[in-house]
Amino acid sequence: MTNDLYTKLIKLLDKNKAQYKLIDHSPEGQTDIVSKMRGNKLSQAAKCIVMMVKIKKVTKYVLAVIPGDAKVDLEAVKALFNGTYISFATTEIAEELSGSVAGTVLPFSFDPNLELIVDPALLEHDELYFNAARLDRSMALKTSDYIKLAKPRLEPIIQSTKKRSKVKLAPKNNEDLDTMRHSLSHILAQAVLEMFPEANLGIGPTIEDGFYYDFDLPRTLIPEDLRLLEKKMKKIISQAQPFHEETASTKEAKAILKKAKQTYKVELVEDLEKEGAKEVTFYTNKLNDKVTFADLCRGPQLEHTGQAGVFKLMKISGAYWRGDEKRPMLQRIYGVAFKNKKDLNDYLVRLEEAKKRDHRKLGMDLDLYQFHDVSPGAAFYHPKGTVVFNELSNLIRRQYRERDYQEVITPLVYDKALWEQSGHWEHYKENMFCMEVDGIDCSLKPMNCPSHMLMFKMRTRSYRDLPFRIADFAMLHRNEVRGALGGLTRVRKFSMDDAHIFVSLEELGDEIIRCIEFTQHVYDIFGFEYEVVLSTKPEKSMGTDEQWKTAEDALENALKKAKIKYEFNDGDGAFYGPKIDFRIRDCLKREWQCATIQIDFQMPLRFELKYEGKDGQLHTPVVVHRALLGSLERFMAILVEHYAGAFPFWLAPVQMRVLSLSEKFNKYTKQVRDELFEAGYRVDMDVSDQTLGKKIREAETSKIPVMLIVGEKEAKDGTVTARYYGQREQEVMKTSDLIKKYADARP
């Protein structure tokens, strides 16, 4: 919807030779914030509002466009139509009529059912500014061209500038779960101030499933404090204290906060002043007309505390103020919140299950891998863990053979000249392990792509060689902050199922579809559900707008042809090109970003890559960066937790264990074990003098898929009694039949 409107707008302006310029910036929809990014006066910004006017039995929709520093006068708009009722249109209707999502509505109407009315105050400047149907791109348009092309109805529809009350009730949005969690962070801060009147407040944002708030307190909190604070919060909620939004100048705000000895909040206001802010907002709570709590906040909030849902304070941790280890260490209180008790209980059950499935604990219990302080962020894979790692690699290798990929091996250390040529030295150096070798600045490679560019360039290439698909499992190193390291999910040394595909522009669409199908096939093997996100141009990027648009369109068209539902993630593309990300959900419904398909026009240009086309001329290929599992370490952690260590048969480190009923049958036990081993299975045996029951329990604890019990009858008949992990049922079969049963287990 939005992209089509953006294209329509550009075509309209170009056709009429309008004077405009495009401005890229971080994704943002709020007029006052994005105006600072663009560098225009707020009065030049077009604030676009879709409204509904009732005229007797007729409903009319109006697109009101006013200066960014003004507020629309609803009564004035209603009077223009002799209306009986006026309100803001619902989000769904506004998006349908305007063709844009909130924050990107254009000051143009392309729908005959949406009348355009503009306040003349907006047209006092030579240019007006607005988000050009995209959150990450704005437009500056010559005002005379805007009037000529938009043909607006000019009417005074902004509120009078006469002084009016600064206090108003918060907007009605109590259905918004994020807003509820935000309000609960305020309620927590109010409770903390009741317990510690001298508390100095930090920040209290919402996070996934809940919220947190940072405090500078006179003593260290203990777990028992959380229950006391919960009790105080519930009392505040029971009082249904209304939230009021109040505006103050930055000067007034600093005076208020200094008087309250809230030094961290004063610092936040000072930073806003540096960014050009003149006013800030507070939210206050009142009980019997007395202010019970006030906090610096952009909002929104609930109407009153009584609308808060169920919550639970979860833990206390330390956090440096503003994430700077040179600043004071604050105490952070985490909470979770949901609309009802069932959702909270479901979350707590999942949380408890997640603790049991923690890959760091299971990795130790199952003897898969360990970590050591001598090499932070790098796993020591034990033999069993190495089996799983290699099976994952070999799964992808088998698929490569079917899909015409060629595997390569490349060096690990490179001269910095390579990274300067690729652009990584400028954009990524802080994440690289740098060193000096032979008096030259070098680095361990954090990714494979530059070395693959070199490989492509080492030989003369023709269009007949394309698509040229090369894959690499080389170990990569990225200098992650030590405090951010966590098991296998955040490491410094890792391997990726990394591939780079060199294609002509004409082949690009088909190749992306092949990559999408490849990803779907692999995720189906593991039974993962997934969501797809298309990430677009970030603030720091390389290349022209035209190249980015071509790349983004290619990805979007491929997704449409593959009939895959997707969402946009504006501004989250790689610095060299847009990408498709696949976000899988594990059995606990947690989301993980793994597979990625990225288009790159920039690196082939920087490396001056060429191939001879059908026309005998030299052309520059397009590169597709592609990973399916992503980091094998991270994917392995996901699988350990997803399966709780009970891997499917093909992936299990030990697939079968032969259990001898007594010493008398050890010879036959070894015979069975050897036969299965020769057939290619990972099998061991237990011929200890323990009871059969204990042998079975140990095999279950080790999460071995198949246990084979051998006793007198089995030795006599040349059979085994098979018992399966997590099941009580058993079956007797010949060893040869067992071999046939699992012959096709490996995908």
Side-chain angles (χ1 to χ4, degrees), residues 44 123-128 141-144:
Q44 289 180 280
L123 309 177
E124 293 175 355
H125 304 277
D126 290 333
E127 290 181 312
L128 68 153
L141 177 60
K142 190 174 178 64
T143 303
S144 57

Side-chain angles (χ1 to χ4, degrees), residues 672-689:
V672 172
R673 182 264 175 201
D674 290 347
E675 189 175 348
L676 293 170
F677 182 83
E678 289 298 322
Y681 295 102
R682 297 185 291 275
V683 56
D684 64 14
M685 61 184 184
D686 186 345
V687 292
S688 67
D689 58 1

Side-chain angles (χ1 to χ4, degrees), residues 42 82 197 206 292 355-356 447 479 504 534 633 656 723:
L42 197 52
N82 295 317
T206 60
T292 56
K355 290 178 182 177
K356 297 177 186 175
M447 66 275 298
N479 192 11
S504 66
L534 175 53
E633 279 73 8
M656 304 181 192
R723 180 186 177 109

Side-chain angles (χ1 to χ4, degrees), residues 8-287:
K8 188 173 184 178
L9 171 65
I10 298 298
K11 286 181 178 178
L12 172 68
L13 298 179
D14 289 343
K15 180 180 178 181
N16 291 276
K17 299 181 179 179
Q19 295 182 40
Y20 69 94
K21 59 184 177 184
L22 294 171
I23 306 164
D24 292 323
H25 51 75
S26 299
E28 180 55 65
Q30 296 188 51
T31 307
D32 56 341
I33 297 175
V34 77
S35 287
K36 295 169 189 172
M37 296 177 179
R38 298 185 300 227
N40 64 279
K41 294 178 181 178
L42 197 52
S43 58
Q44 289 180 280
K47 187 191 293 184
C48 306
I49 308 150
V50 180
M51 294 178 292
M52 177 192 73
V53 183
K54 290 282 189 181
I55 311 166
K56 295 183 180 180
K57 295 183 179 181
V58 178
T59 299
K60 185 174 184 63
Y61 291 96
V62 178
L63 173 58
V65 182
I66 61 175
D69 59 352
K71 294 185 178 180
V72 68
D73 187 335
L74 295 177
E75 292 302 313
V77 177
K78 186 172 75 171
L80 291 175
F81 300 95
N82 295 317
T84 57
Y85 174 81
I86 187 170
S87 70
F88 297 108
T90 64
T91 301
E92 293 77 12
I93 291 176
E95 290 184 358
E96 180 180 350
L97 291 173
S98 69
S100 301
V101 297
T104 70
V105 177
L106 296 171
F108 290 79
S109 175
F110 294 99
D111 190 316
N113 296 313
L114 186 65
E115 183 169 349
L116 174 64
I117 300 178
V118 178
D119 190 285
L122 178 65
L123 309 177
E124 293 175 355
H125 304 277
D126 290 333
E127 290 181 312
L128 68 153
Y129 291 73
F130 51 91
N131 276 19
R134 284 170 53 164
L135 287 172
D136 64 338
R137 180 170 295 169
S138 289
M139 178 176 287
L141 177 60
K142 190 174 178 64
T143 303
S144 57
D145 286 332
Y146 170 69
I147 296 171
K148 180 176 70 175
L149 297 175
K151 298 181 176 61
R153 175 179 173 180
L154 302 180
E155 300 284 357
I157 54 171
I158 60 175
Q159 292 182 12
S160 169
T161 57
K162 292 180 181 179
K163 189 172 181 179
R164 57 190 180 277
S165 172
K166 291 183 177 180
V167 180
K168 62 180 182 179
L169 279 174
K172 293 185 178 182
N173 50 12
N174 55 311
E175 293 299 314
D176 186 338
L177 187 56
D178 191 67
T179 299
M180 186 192 82
R181 288 167 175 162
H182 189 183
S183 295
L184 277 162
S185 76
H186 279 233
I187 295 169
L188 168 61
Q190 183 176 346
V192 168
L193 280 173
E194 287 183 10
M195 183 180 286
F196 304 101
E198 65 272 52
N200 202 344
L201 307 184
I203 58 171
T206 60
I207 53 176
E208 185 177 6
D209 298 320
F211 57 93
Y212 70 77
Y213 213 116
D214 292 340
F215 303 96
D216 197 341
L217 301 173
R219 70 165 172 83
T220 302
L221 293 170
I222 58 176
E224 289 75 13
D225 289 327
L226 297 183
R227 306 291 79 82
L228 295 174
L229 288 169
E230 282 183 352
K231 189 174 180 180
K232 289 181 178 293
M233 290 175 68
K234 288 175 181 176
K235 183 178 179 181
I236 294 168
I237 291 170
S238 70
Q239 293 168 339
Q241 299 178 17
F243 283 96
H244 292 267
E245 182 188 1
E246 301 186 18
T247 303
S249 69
T250 53
K251 183 178 179 180
E252 292 171 332
K254 286 190 293 184
I256 293 169
L257 294 167
K258 285 177 181 177
K259 184 177 179 181
K261 297 181 180 179
Q262 294 297 331
T263 57
Y264 299 115
K265 299 290 186 180
V266 172
E267 182 181 327
L268 294 176
V269 175
E270 289 173 343
D271 286 349
L272 290 171
E273 277 186 317
K274 292 174 185 176
E275 295 173 5
K278 303 296 183 184
E279 291 184 332
V280 295
T281 54
F282 287 85
Y283 275 84
T284 62
N285 292 25
K286 289 187 177 181
L287 183 63

